[in-house]
Amino acid sequence: MSTSETSRYVRLRVEMVLEITDADALSGTALESLAAEYGEPGGDSAEERTHAESAVREDGAEALASLIDPFDLVSEVPGVELTQASWSSESIAYDPQDPDGWDLDDDDDEEDGDDGDVDAVGVPHNGEENDDDGGAERRA
């Protein structure tokens, strides 16, 4: 690809630290979203739905990741089309009073992998496809 062709593509990295203030409300919303996505219990995706529901009940990070959709972040931005996205969420030790607690340089080496893909959440949501190692990746 020429420089003019590759300059059309931009990798946008966003990192946030969120505080879960109501775990029941979060997991309840995630369960409602999964129910809407999968429809009636049973059927072809019953095992996948059961796994997803279990994950969002047990882990606030999974519940949050199942509700966040990177496509929604850019869908209304004129002049851009999202061609690929993946995301993840994890519980972390975080002290908001620690001035060194926000160090973005820690993850730079990990994210600069050969293929540019980042492992994503394990709870399928809104059309994601499971990859070989059990994660889920969403692509446009």
Side-chain angles (χ1 to χ4, degrees), residues 20 23-35 49-67 122-125:
I20 297 175
D24 291 337
L26 176 61
S27 64
T29 301
L31 289 169
E32 289 173 8
S33 177
L34 289 170
R49 177 183 178 152
T50 301
H51 171 72
E53 288 175 344
S54 175
V56 301
R57 280 189 185 100
E58 295 172 14
D59 187 354
E62 291 283 356
L64 181 61
S66 75
L67 293 169
V123 177
H125 185 65

Side-chain angles (χ1 to χ4, degrees), residues 65-139:
S66 75
L67 293 169
I68 300 298
D69 187 349
F71 289 81
D72 289 343
L73 296 174
V74 297
S75 64
E76 300 297 319
V77 177
V80 299
E81 180 179 331
L82 185 59
T83 58
Q84 181 178 345
S86 64
W87 63 103
S88 65
S89 180
E90 64 183 342
S91 296
I92 61 168
Y94 177 74
D95 179 1
Q97 305 301 319
D98 181 7
D100 296 325
W102 186 260
D103 187 7
L104 295 178
D105 292 333
D106 286 347
D107 293 334
D108 285 348
D109 292 336
E110 288 179 19
E111 292 179 7
D112 292 337
D114 295 357
D115 61 4
D117 288 340
V118 178
D119 287 340
V121 298
V123 177
H125 185 65
N126 291 336
E128 295 173 13
E129 297 177 7
N130 286 333
D131 61 21
D132 292 338
D133 64 359
E137 184 166 293
R138 180 164 182 182
R139 294 176 186 235

Side-chain angles (χ1 to χ4, degrees), residues 3-59:
T3 303
S4 63
E5 288 175 323
T6 59
S7 65
R8 295 182 339 187
Y9 297 94
V10 175
R11 181 183 305 260
L12 174 66
R13 292 186 179 149
V14 177
E15 185 167 334
M16 295 185 271
V17 174
L18 304 169
E19 178 182 3
I20 297 175
T21 58
D22 188 341
D24 291 337
L26 176 61
S27 64
T29 301
L31 289 169
E32 289 173 8
S33 177
L34 289 170
E37 180 178 341
Y38 286 102
E40 293 297 317
D44 295 337
S45 59
E47 185 177 333
E48 189 175 328
R49 177 183 178 152
T50 301
H51 171 72
E53 288 175 344
S54 175
V56 301
R57 280 189 185 100
E58 295 172 14
D59 187 354

